[in-house]
């Protein structure tokens, strides 16, 4: 079964419990990042108050995420540790979601066009802890070559079947795997099909590094540039079932047109 990499969590004073354990996951094989070293990271909250997905601040009033991250009501920025931390009170900015705009051709069954824009109720204030990560400039940009080493970040779980998500932001390095290999019988076997609008990235050596449930909507950054949005995977950290990412450069026209409207 293919799991989307979103999760639903309650935040208590000291513990984050997973509401739907089959839908929860975090960075596999990663490590805690230096606080606020990834100032474009957004933590998304749904209508239940659960922290469910990640996102990317791409303009001062716009966050990019995955379309399967539904019912998002608030966006938290400038966050490193999820639990209440007096040291982060000054860095955090919380915004309500004014509009949720999934791609018009998003199809959950076939896991295609898994990308969404969130318009915030008001602009963020740029700071050391909150900054924009722009989308790529050219929509006709060449594909990300297989073998490219990229980074993925999020607050998701750090191992399969974990019942708590990571309290702190983590990041891991993953390697891009070419689509023919990712679609091969040994890997996803065309179920689902990895299309030209997607990227596969995971572990190729002895280490296990991957995104996981709870990391949905977070960024795949290659060479300092935003290239992908965490979409789905089959469990986490399995070499023949690498993470699948929506390729941002294939959606630039839609992104720019939507934000102008």
């Amino acid at each position: 079964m293919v799991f989307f990499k979103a999760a639903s969590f309650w935040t208590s004073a000291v513990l984050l419990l997973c509401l739907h354990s089959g839908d929860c996951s975090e960075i596999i094989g990663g490590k805690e990042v230096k606080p606020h070293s990834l100032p474009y990271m957004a933590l998304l909250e749904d209508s239940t108050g659960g922290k469910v997905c990640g996102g990317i601040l791409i303009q001062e009033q716009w966050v990019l995420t995955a379309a399967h991250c539904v019912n998002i009501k608030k966006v938290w920025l400038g966050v490193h540790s999820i639990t209440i931390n007096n040291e982060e009170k000054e860095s955090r900015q919380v915004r309500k979601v004014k509009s949720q705009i999934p791609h018009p051709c998003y199809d959950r069954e076939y896991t295609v066009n898994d990308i969404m824009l969130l318009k915030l109720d008001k602009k963020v204030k740029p700071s050391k802890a909150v900054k924009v990560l722009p989308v790529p400039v050219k929509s006709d940009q060449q594909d990300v070559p297989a073998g490219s080493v990229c980074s993925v970040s999020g607050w998701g779980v750090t191992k399969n079947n974990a019942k708590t998500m990571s309290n702190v932001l983590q990041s891991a390095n993953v390697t891009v795997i070419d689509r023919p290999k990712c679609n091969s019988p040994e890997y996803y076997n065309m179920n689902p099909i990895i299309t030209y609008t997607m990227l596969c990235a995971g572990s190729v050596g002895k280490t296990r590094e991957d995104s996981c449930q709870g990391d949905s909507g977070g960024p795949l950054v290659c060479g300092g540039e935003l290239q992908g949005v965490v979409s789905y995977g089959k469990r986490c950290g399995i070499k023949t079932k690498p993470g699948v990412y929506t390729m941002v450069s294939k959606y630039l026209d839609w992104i720019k047109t939507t934000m102008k409207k």
Side-chain angles (χ1 to χ4, degrees):
M1 180 179 179
V2 173
F3 293 107
F4 289 99
K5 295 186 174 180
S8 294
F9 297 93
W10 284 329
T11 303
S12 65
V14 295
L15 184 64
L16 297 170
L17 297 178
C18 178
L19 299 177
H20 305 292
S21 60
D23 291 334
C24 297
S25 63
E26 57 188 10
I27 294 292
I28 302 293
K31 61 182 180 179
E32 180 180 353
V33 304
K34 181 181 178 181
H36 311 306
S37 60
L38 305 177
Y40 49 80
M41 287 295 301
L43 181 63
L44 309 188
E45 179 180 314
D46 69 6
S47 56
T48 71
K51 307 302 188 292
V52 295
C53 286
I56 311 113
L57 184 69
I58 60 169
Q59 280 196 14
E60 290 177 8
Q61 201 170 357
W62 291 92
V63 168
L64 190 66
T65 187
H68 73 266
C69 296
V70 297
N71 298 321
I72 304 303
K73 299 300 181 182
K74 289 183 181 179
V75 174
W76 294 67
L77 300 133
V79 175
H80 178 69
S81 170
I82 297 177
T83 53
I84 297 173
N85 187 332
N86 290 333
E87 295 178 2
E88 287 195 11
K89 283 186 176 180
E90 297 300 320
S91 67
R92 294 186 181 190
Q93 297 183 43
V94 182
R95 296 290 185 269
K96 293 180 181 180
V97 175
K98 182 177 181 179
S99 303
Q100 300 178 66
I101 311 166
H103 192 277
C105 297
Y106 167 59
D107 189 312
R108 185 181 180 93
E109 181 179 357
Y110 294 101
T111 61
V112 294
N113 304 310
D114 188 13
I115 192 168
M116 178 168 65
L117 282 164
L118 302 176
K119 186 175 184 180
L120 309 180
D121 63 339
K122 59 181 179 180
K123 292 182 178 181
V124 301
K125 298 176 181 178
S127 67
K128 182 179 179 180
V130 179
K131 293 180 182 179
V132 165
L133 178 65
V135 296
V137 176
K138 297 181 180 179
S139 59
D140 59 350
Q141 177 176 312
Q142 290 185 347
D143 209 351
V144 182
S148 298
V149 177
C150 307
S151 65
V152 59
S153 309
W155 289 269
V157 299
T158 53
K159 59 183 178 181
N160 285 295
N161 301 320
K163 293 186 177 181
T164 59
M165 67 190 295
S166 175
N167 180 52
V168 295
L169 181 60
Q170 298 206 14
S171 181
N173 290 330
V174 291
T175 302
V176 175
I177 300 165
D178 65 52
R179 292 182 191 86
K181 185 174 184 178
C182 209
N183 278 315
S184 69
E186 183 185 358
Y187 280 68
Y188 278 104
N189 196 28
M190 306 288 283
N191 183 28
I193 299 172
I194 311 303
T195 73
Y196 78 100
T197 64
M198 304 173 186
L199 289 169
C200 274
S203 302
V204 296
K206 294 182 179 180
T207 59
R208 287 198 317 138
E209 295 178 314
D210 195 6
S211 55
C212 200
Q213 284 82 13
D215 291 321
S216 284
L220 181 74
V221 177
C222 310
E225 190 168 61
L226 176 62
Q227 295 288 3
V229 173
V230 179
S231 181
Y232 66 89
K234 189 171 184 180
R235 295 181 65 80
C236 306
I238 300 173
K239 291 185 179 181
T240 56
K241 299 294 184 289
V244 180
Y245 301 79
T246 304
M247 192 170 176
V248 175
S249 64
K250 302 299 183 184
Y251 295 90
L252 292 184
D253 289 342
W254 172 74
I255 291 170
K256 292 174 182 178
T257 300
T258 301
M259 290 194 299
K260 285 180 180 179
K261 289 181 179 179

